[in-house]
Amino acid sequence: MLSDIFTRNRVWSEAMVADDPDYFRRLAAIQRPEFFWIGCSDSRVPANVVAGLQPGMVFVHRNVANVIHSSDMNLLSTLEFAVEELAVQHVIVCGHYGCGGVRAAVAERTQGLANHWIEPIRRLAQRHSAELDNIAEEQARLDRLSELNVVEGVARVAETPILRAAWARGADVAVHGLIYGLRDGRLRNLGCTVTRIRG
Ligand code: CO
């Protein structure tokens, strides 16, 4: 019920103040997160919770299957604010195993706008069909596609004018690719970090 949310909120805010009377006053004064998180909207992968970060520590953008569309104004404006105003040091593209959006991309039966949204994943699967077709087990194949989607996302973020401009002026910012396991609650580094792009 909606009223439960207000009850939970009151309990939480009172507990925070009981622990640290200045907590909200300090948090309200300034926002200086070190991380910008681009993740899936999946309710099981909340950035703050899975990364163990308190309010104020991570700036967040989430969409279905953490797809990076180069012309997504929502993502681009959030990314620009994170890099130029907040000066985050780490941009994290985080996918997850068991992603319903990734599954839908290759299922051929998704309708409507969601189908259009995940089109880049469908093309990605076609581009990597040689590798994916060699994975016999379906979930393992989808999980590999989730990883490829993250690696692709990192490359796309790194190619935006926002990151290129940041690196051109010598900003200390890196783009990382992570994947989260729903089954074990663990984050893994996919080892595709980009710290700058030449040329
Ligand atoms: Co997902």
Side-chain angles (χ1 to χ4, degrees), residues 40 42 65 96 99-101:
C40 182
D42 194 304
H96 67 103
C99 183

Side-chain angles (χ1 to χ4, degrees), residues 30-62:
I30 192 166
Q31 171 175 223
R32 198 173 284 154
E34 193 179 330
F35 304 99
F36 175 44
W37 174 285
I38 303 169
C40 182
S41 298
D42 194 304
S43 64
R44 299 165 293 181
V45 196
N48 287 77
V49 178
V50 305
L53 296 169
Q54 295 301 312
M57 297 173 83
V58 58
F59 198 60
V60 175
H61 175 90
R62 291 165 71 186

Side-chain angles (χ1 to χ4, degrees), residues 79-136:
L79 178 66
E80 183 181 76
F81 189 78
V83 172
E84 294 186 6
E85 300 297 323
L86 300 175
V88 298
Q89 288 163 281
H90 304 281
V91 176
I92 294 168
V93 179
C94 185
H96 67 103
Y97 296 133
C99 183
V102 170
R103 174 177 287 274
V106 290
E108 299 289 342
R109 54 182 162 78
T110 315
Q111 297 297 314
L113 279 173
N115 190 47
H116 178 60
W117 178 256
I118 55 186
E119 173 63 26
I121 305 179
R122 193 171 296 117
R123 274 186 274 120
L124 190 66
Q126 285 161 2
R127 217 160 70 229
H128 293 269
S129 60
E131 178 191 351
L132 294 168
D133 290 349
N134 272 326
I135 305 172

